[in-house]
Amino acid sequence: MKKLLLYLRFVMIAFGIGAFLFITLSFTDIPYYAYHSLGTKNASMELPPDYIVVMGAGGMPSPEGLMRCAYTAEAAKAYPEAKVIVAMPTKPEYFLVSHTYKMFKEIQLRGIDSSRFIFQLKGMNTREQALAISNELPRHDTLSLMVVTSPQHIYRSVKVFENVGFKSVGGIASFEKAVAEENLIDPGAEKEQVTNLNLRYNMWNYMKYQIIVMREYVAITYYWLRGWI
């Protein structure tokens, strides 16, 4: 019984320290810079892309899915010779009612010709999708690839595609472009009220960033242990 109490005490102290650090960090810029780093580190490209790969984002429409489609369309306009690969698993017989098809239509509606699209319907994770794409592209080791996905996934995605044999890989992170909090505030509001609102928004956003970053680093560690990056 005494050992159990000591164990519970240790767990509660550790939890308290973790909660204190979690809250304290939400008042600093560290969570944002950690999140931003995942979306920009190792993402630059030296060559124009031969293929633009947009990674699936769960259901469509969804905030992440729509953001990725918007960034993919902009990239496709910037590089008109590049093919667009929509990588999202689905059964071929359900393609026309799938989220993969909805991503394709969303990008097409933004002005990208349907003849430029390729669909990769296999793979339940980034590693499997990268392998499937490399197997379908002849001489993939000579191709330039641009990956479009959420900011926290860019670093891992680029590393995975490099690991399966692509020599020139970069990425575009679908960073959200939020409306400034100041624009939502009554122009006649007190300055102190504005400061308090900004502080509250930042605190909750930075808590969210911490959770996102921690989850992604767990995934990066798992991929590293498996030799996938």
Side-chain angles (χ1 to χ4, degrees), residues 110-126:
R110 295 175 180 272
I112 308 306
D113 191 86
S114 61
S115 64
R116 297 176 61 185
F117 286 83
I118 299 172
F119 302 98
Q120 176 48 251
L121 307 181
K122 301 176 182 178
M124 298 305 294
N125 57 47
T126 306

Side-chain angles (χ1 to χ4, degrees), residues 45-54 75-76 78-85 115-118 133 137-147 166-170:
M45 298 189 65
E46 297 180 358
L47 300 172
D50 298 303
Y51 292 88
I52 300 168
V53 181
V54 55
Y79 300 101
E81 299 301 318
K83 294 287 187 179
V84 179
I85 301 177
S115 64
R116 297 176 61 185
F117 286 83
I118 299 172
I133 291 172
L137 296 181
R139 301 188 62 186
H140 65 270
D141 58 331
T142 65
L143 298 174
S144 178
L145 206 71
M146 175 184 285
V147 183
F166 289 94
K167 298 303 181 184
S168 178
V169 186

